[in-house]
Amino acid sequence: MRQDFVFALRQLRANLKFTVIVVLTLALGIGATTAIFSVVSGVLLRGLPFPEGERIVSLQTIEFPKPEESSGETSAGQAGSPTANPGYIDVVSFPDFFDWRQQNKSFEVVASYSYETTRKFTPPGNGTSRLVAAEYVSGDFFRALGVTPMLGRDFTPEDEHDANRPIILDHHFWVTEFHSAPDIVGKQINISDRVATVIGVLPADFSFPGLNNLPSFWGAFMQGSLSSANPSGMPQKDFVSKFSRRNERTTQVIGRLRRGVSVAQARAEMNAIQRSLAAQYPEDRNAFAVDVRPLLEYVSGDYRKPLYLLLGAVTAVLLIACANVAGLLLARGFARRHEFSVRVALGAKPVLIVRQVLIESTLLALCGGAVGVALAFVLLKTVLVLAPANLPRINNVQIDASVLAFAFVVSIVTGMLFGVFPAWKAARSDASGMWRAGRGISGGRSEHRLRAIFVIAETAISLALVGGSGLLISSFAETMRVPLGFDSHHVLIFRLGMSYVEFPNDKARLFFRQLFPQLAAIPGVEAVTSAYPVPFSYTNSSRFAIAGKPNDPNDLPSSDRVTVEPQFFETLRIPLLKGRTFDVRDDWNAKRVAIVNREFARAYFPNEDPIGRSIQPDFGEFGENPTWYEIVGVVAGIHSVDLTMPPEPTFFLPYEQATISPQGVMLRVSGDPHAYMNSVRSIVDGLHRDVPIFAVQTMDENIHDSMTSDRFEVALLSCFGAAALLLAAVGLYAALSEMVARRTFEIGLRVALGAQQDDVFRLIVRRGLMLAVVGLVVGIGGFAIFGRVVADMLYGVRAFEPSVVALACGVMLVVAFAASAAPAWRGARLEPAEALREE
């Protein structure tokens, strides 16, 4: 074995050009595969960074369609309903969470956490205020994760009622802002103009899956997130009771399973609990099931399919590289047929020849793997730049020991994979081959057949990848052609960090009344307005009642709600279809008015004029009393979150009359929107120096960011398709070049007997195109399978789109012709006399 390795190294060094070509080909395939696997490993495969992380699960509510919305009947307590209709998964209401926590027997602990948010932080010593990320959780949250603070203690259920507003600091925030003060526990700091008490500091290595930017601090939710979201100033107990309704689902829930309890057992118990709650509380009657799944699966759920798709695509590129290398080794084996024949004549057994060839191929693969790992580091940086910012656990993506082990295994398997056919061919050498070393011998039919199979397989796989990337590109293009419903160009957006303590409702309205005229006076500013939420950020839904129609308070209809200032529709140039828009007369003292979009009018006022009708938004979560709003206008629908979904029914309320949410300010300007930020900052500082400005971007950037995930998939799959196309072209070129080299004598004889250069050229090109056509026929089947896999990722494009198939086939044929032309031209230019000497 040692002699075989030494001989293999000598052979590879003696054929340096061949070695370099093979190593670089394999490095491309192994490097790309390793880079994508490192992403898959970091996001999907690596365990949670918590003790016994497999016992941590996510719990969510499953809500089913109302009877009138479903083809089948559903009601609480029907155990078969989830099977008949899967419903849709939603987050959890606080009352349901409290009942789950109290009634379950399957979990050691159940805890909740809210969405990421921002809070104004004022450093000690009255430093400059700034916004920091924050997260609000229930008691025992860190106990559910199995994490113990490095200083202080964890939250307990009692902290949910503690007026001191306990918080736990992130380690980095503790180091940078408090200089690692060991006596930080018990200190009070200023958060959103309220005093909060530090009860602990997290370990330096703590991270939570799904949060790529760790919060600066964690707060206990009852006195943290809920009280800070209370703009009305009403007593906390009344506010909490109105906020915490079963149909107000606003929190995420996790649990740590007891030892010996499976996910299926916990799911069965939680479904029984929720069915009981649905039967007891009318608000829960359509939410009678619970989704229980491992936390890792929940966090990475939206990206599992795209990432596995990319891993499959890059594996296909690796297979093409293997086919190329196998073809090269077959050709090299033909050149070494004299050597193998001598070995056989001297008594070498076939198994020894097989071992020798496999050792050489494995060494080539290991060298390719080593270069591929170096290439993977470079490719991974590119992938992470393209990756969407919300890709979960992206901070875990790295080339570590497990990824290196994967690269090693892939290299070994690859070496065996592309080496087995050449080894099998070499083992079939016989002693007679030593007397037939002339180049005029073209090889046996089986070898030609193997080369043809490799080329056909490469072409088929390439067509599937090129066609698949074509589908996603077409889908992306169709998405970008969707009319927004408004003019997104030259619009600047920013948010203001205004706490409810310093800016209660009346002061917030006054601040905006002072701010907007000054912003409008900036040269180049055409219009100023504000909205919550801003288009292409997120949606904010609200239940509402309709005057003159039966309204069940426990089952009100729901729609998107947007709170806007005057000039909102004019600033975004949203067409007014009927009635009027808001103006400065629609203030706190005026009659309450609303505007609805066309989709809202069609859904809730079919075949009638909505102007003059009234709706009553449900502001119970903010402590507002029910108020009727008269509809005074109808506007066109706009895409506000997802371009692939039609505009949702939406109603709009004036900010002056519904001061319940922080506003995103929007300016329509001439020229570059970012050029106006210095003037904006100067005006805001002049009104209040302690109001931070954040989330600054243009509306076009906002929309661009919403498409990051789609752009990531399209870009990577297109790169893999291009790589596959290139490798397939190289494989076809190599196969035809080898054919010309082996058939030199035959070609010379044809020319000597009168064949023209065009005849020889057509002969070789025809051979290449025939192989390509067969590969395309096979590849269309692969393309059809690929289309079915990505069907749910497409918009405006069929899974088997004829135009995409035709274009992909056309590209492949052009590439096949180009790859065939060079060896065909070289063969056509052979001199007969020189060619005939090759025998």
Side-chain angles (χ1 to χ4, degrees):
M1 184 72 75
R2 183 180 62 83
Q3 290 178 342
D4 285 342
F5 271 105
V6 172
F7 182 75
L9 290 172
R10 193 183 307 135
Q11 284 285 325
L12 298 181
R13 186 176 58 185
N15 298 272
L16 191 59
K17 180 179 178 181
F18 169 84
T19 302
V20 170
I21 292 174
V22 171
V23 167
L24 292 180
T25 301
L26 291 174
L28 174 62
I30 295 174
T33 304
T34 302
I36 296 300
F37 177 79
S38 66
V39 178
V40 172
S41 174
V43 175
L44 304 181
L45 303 181
R46 188 171 300 150
L48 296 174
F50 308 121
E52 299 181 279
E54 68 281 358
R55 292 169 52 202
I56 305 174
V57 299
S58 166
L59 298 91
Q60 291 184 289
T61 306
I62 303 179
E63 189 163 357
F64 297 89
K66 301 173 186 177
E68 63 271 16
E69 297 174 357
S70 175
S71 58
E73 296 183 358
T74 60
S75 63
Q78 285 183 313
S81 297
T83 303
N85 193 317
Y88 64 90
I89 295 176
D90 200 355
V91 290
V92 184
S93 68
F94 279 103
D96 284 345
F97 160 66
F98 295 143
D99 285 330
W100 292 359
R101 183 168 66 176
Q102 181 180 6
Q103 298 180 27
N104 87 88
K105 305 296 182 184
S106 298
F107 298 94
E108 289 183 358
V109 61
V110 175
S112 72
Y113 63 101
S114 65
Y115 300 100
E116 294 176 81
T117 185
T118 55
R119 290 290 182 266
K120 188 172 76 170
F121 165 66
T122 304
N126 296 320
T128 302
S129 299
R130 61 185 177 87
L131 294 173
V132 297
E135 187 78 24
Y136 288 93
V137 301
S138 71
D140 291 331
F141 175 78
F142 294 105
R143 180 185 163 206
L145 299 179
V147 174
T148 302
M150 63 167 290
L151 292 178
R153 62 175 178 83
D154 184 10
F155 293 120
T156 65
E158 288 72 26
D159 290 320
E160 298 169 8
H161 309 282
D162 190 345
N164 291 321
R165 302 180 69 238
I167 63 172
I168 297 177
L169 303 183
D170 176 70
H171 186 274
H172 179 73
F173 187 67
W174 171 61
V175 170
T176 56
E177 295 295 331
F178 301 97
H179 311 292
S180 304
D183 59 345
I184 189 65
V185 175
K187 299 289 186 181
Q188 293 184 327
I189 62 176
N190 194 312
I191 300 294
S192 293
D193 299 314
R194 287 188 177 94
V195 174
T197 303
V198 179
I199 66 169
V201 177
L202 291 173
D205 59 350
F206 173 78
S207 64
F208 184 73
L211 300 181
N212 292 328
N213 297 315
L214 279 179
S216 297
F217 71 89
W218 302 70
F221 72 76
M222 291 297 284
Q223 295 295 333
S225 62
L226 298 190
S227 62
S228 61
N230 178 3
S232 61
M234 66 187 301
Q236 175 67 16
K237 61 181 181 64
D238 296 334
F239 172 71
V240 172
S241 65
K242 290 192 174 185
F243 183 91
S244 300
R245 295 178 296 177
R246 294 185 185 273
N247 55 5
E248 292 294 340
R249 299 185 175 90
T250 58
T251 192
Q252 304 271 6
V253 176
I254 60 172
R256 176 173 284 272
L257 292 168
R258 295 185 186 276
R259 287 186 172 84
V261 177
S262 68
V263 172
Q265 290 171 325
R267 185 182 298 118
E269 184 196 28
M270 295 308 300
N271 274 294
I273 293 173
Q274 188 60 24
R275 279 197 296 270
S276 174
L277 296 175
Q280 184 178 358
Y281 299 101
E283 298 155 285
D284 265 349
R285 61 185 171 188
N286 295 317
F288 49 87
V290 179
D291 178 70
V292 181
R293 71 177 78 178
L295 181 61
L296 177 58
E297 180 182 331
Y298 166 71
V299 169
S300 60
D302 291 341
Y303 284 93
R304 296 184 78 85
K305 184 173 180 179
L307 288 179
Y308 280 131
L309 177 66
L310 291 176
L311 183 60
V314 78
T315 302
V317 173
L318 178 60
L319 290 177
I320 295 175
C322 289
N324 265 352
V325 174
L328 292 172
L329 286 178
L330 278 174
R332 186 162 177 266
F334 179 82
R336 297 173 64 186
R337 67 191 184 283
H338 179 70
E339 172 197 333
F340 294 140
S341 298
V342 171
R343 287 171 174 261
V344 171
L346 294 176
K349 295 180 180 180
V351 68
L352 298 179
I353 297 179
V354 168
R355 187 179 71 182
Q356 176 64 53
V357 176
L358 286 179
I359 286 175
E360 292 181 18
S361 65
T362 302
L363 284 175
L364 283 170
L366 290 174
C367 292
V371 178
V373 168
L375 179 62
F377 280 96
V378 178
L379 293 177
L380 182 58
K381 290 183 178 179
T382 304
V383 170
L384 294 181
V385 168
L386 294 174
N390 62 347
L391 181 66
R393 310 181 76 207
I394 192 172
N395 296 328
N396 292 334
V397 175
Q398 58 183 330
I399 298 180
D400 56 11
S402 62
V403 175
L404 291 176
F406 170 83
F408 177 77
V409 172
V410 167
S411 300
I412 295 294
V413 173
T414 298
M416 302 295 291
L417 185 63
F418 69 70
V420 64
F421 287 112
W424 170 73
K425 184 64 182 175
R428 299 183 62 190
S429 300
D430 55 51
S432 62
M434 63 187 297
W435 311 111
R436 299 184 285 107
R439 287 181 59 194
I441 305 300
S442 61
R445 289 185 178 180
S446 61
E447 185 173 341
H448 286 305
R449 193 178 297 115
L450 273 176
R451 295 296 300 272
I453 290 174
F454 289 148
V455 172
I456 291 170
E458 293 175 42
T459 306
I461 296 174
S462 298
L463 176 66
L465 288 182
V466 172
S469 61
L471 281 178
L472 292 182
I473 291 172
S474 299
S475 174
F476 186 77
E478 287 294 323
T479 302
M480 297 306 295
R481 281 196 287 266
V482 172
L484 295 171
F486 65 95
D487 184 359
S488 64
H489 305 310
H490 302 291
V491 175
L492 177 68
I493 310 169
F494 61 88
R495 297 276 302 276
L496 298 172
M498 301 165 59
S499 73
Y500 290 115
V501 172
E502 191 166 3
F503 289 95
N505 290 349
D506 54 344
K507 289 188 178 180
R509 292 193 291 267
L510 176 62
F511 181 83
F512 281 112
R513 285 198 293 267
Q514 295 172 338
L515 174 65
F516 282 12
Q518 296 188 42
L519 294 178
I522 299 175
V525 173
E526 300 174 2
V528 181
T529 189
S530 70
Y532 176 82
V534 171
F536 285 91
S537 55
Y538 45 87
T539 59
N540 182 48
S541 64
S542 173
R543 291 176 172 80
F544 59 92
I546 302 175
K549 294 187 178 182
N551 296 292
D552 182 351
N554 295 316
D555 196 21
L556 293 174
S558 179
S559 172
D560 288 348
R561 181 186 70 205
V562 183
T563 307
V564 302
E565 286 274 15
Q567 297 294 306
F568 171 77
F569 304 102
E570 291 80 2
T571 300
L572 294 185
R573 297 174 181 171
I574 300 173
L576 175 67
L577 304 180
K578 186 179 294 186
R580 69 173 179 89
T581 58
F582 299 134
D583 56 41
V584 293
R585 296 172 298 175
D586 299 314
D587 59 16
W588 179 257
N589 298 315
K591 181 180 180 180
R592 300 295 187 260
V593 293
I595 293 173
V596 301
N597 68 355
R598 177 167 41 202
E599 289 69 24
F600 187 98
R602 288 174 178 173
Y604 300 107
F605 300 100
N607 303 319
E608 56 181 309
D609 188 355
I611 301 296
R613 300 296 298 273
S614 296
I615 61 174
Q616 187 184 70
D618 184 3
F619 293 137
E621 71 268 32
F622 293 101
E624 297 283 341
N625 293 322
T627 305
W628 290 100
Y629 287 73
E630 180 182 333
I631 299 173
V632 297
V634 179
V635 296
I638 67 172
H639 291 273
S640 58
V641 176
D642 189 347
L643 288 173
T644 65
M645 301 295 292
E648 294 289 339
T650 306
F651 65 89
F652 302 86
L653 304 177
Y655 176 70
E656 287 275 340
Q657 298 181 357
T659 314
I660 54 179
S661 303
Q663 297 293 97
V665 181
M666 292 181 285
L667 280 66
R668 177 167 289 281
V669 300
S670 58
D672 178 18
H674 287 292
Y676 291 79
M677 274 312 300
N678 287 335
S679 299
V680 169
R681 293 182 191 279
S682 176
I683 290 173
V684 173
D685 286 346
L687 291 175
H688 198 297
R689 297 191 62 85
D690 202 31
V691 175
I693 297 177
F694 68 106
V696 179
Q697 61 180 167
T698 68
M699 182 65 76
D700 287 331
E701 291 169 346
N702 203 20
I703 297 171
H704 180 274
D705 291 345
S706 73
M707 303 293 292
T708 304
S709 298
D710 295 333
R711 193 175 293 107
F712 172 67
E713 296 160 13
V714 169
L716 285 189
L717 195 59
S718 298
C719 289
F720 298 150
L725 193 63
L726 176 63
L727 288 174
V730 170
L732 183 58
Y733 171 83
L736 293 178
S737 295
E738 182 63 22
M739 185 190 78
V740 170
R742 295 190 185 191
R743 299 176 67 177
T744 298
F745 177 78
E746 174 192 336
I747 293 172
L749 186 60
R750 286 174 180 268
V751 174
L753 293 176
Q756 301 298 313
Q757 287 187 345
D758 290 348
D759 298 326
V760 176
F761 185 86
R762 282 195 297 270
L763 172 69
I764 300 173
V765 169
R766 187 185 305 117
R767 170 69 174 171
L769 292 180
M770 285 178 60
L771 293 176
V773 168
V774 175
L776 293 180
V777 172
V778 177
I780 288 176
F783 174 82
I785 296 173
F786 186 97
R788 291 176 65 88
V789 171
V790 301
D792 60 342
M793 301 168 60
L794 302 177
Y795 174 78
V797 180
R798 288 173 290 181
F800 192 87
E801 185 68 40
S803 60
V804 174
V805 176
L807 180 61
C809 289
V811 170
M812 294 296 300
L813 287 175
V814 169
V815 170
F817 177 81
S820 307
W825 178 249
R826 188 166 62 251
R829 292 171 60 86
L830 285 174
E831 291 293 335
E834 179 181 348
L836 291 174
R837 291 195 197 100
E838 293 293 335
E839 187 178 10

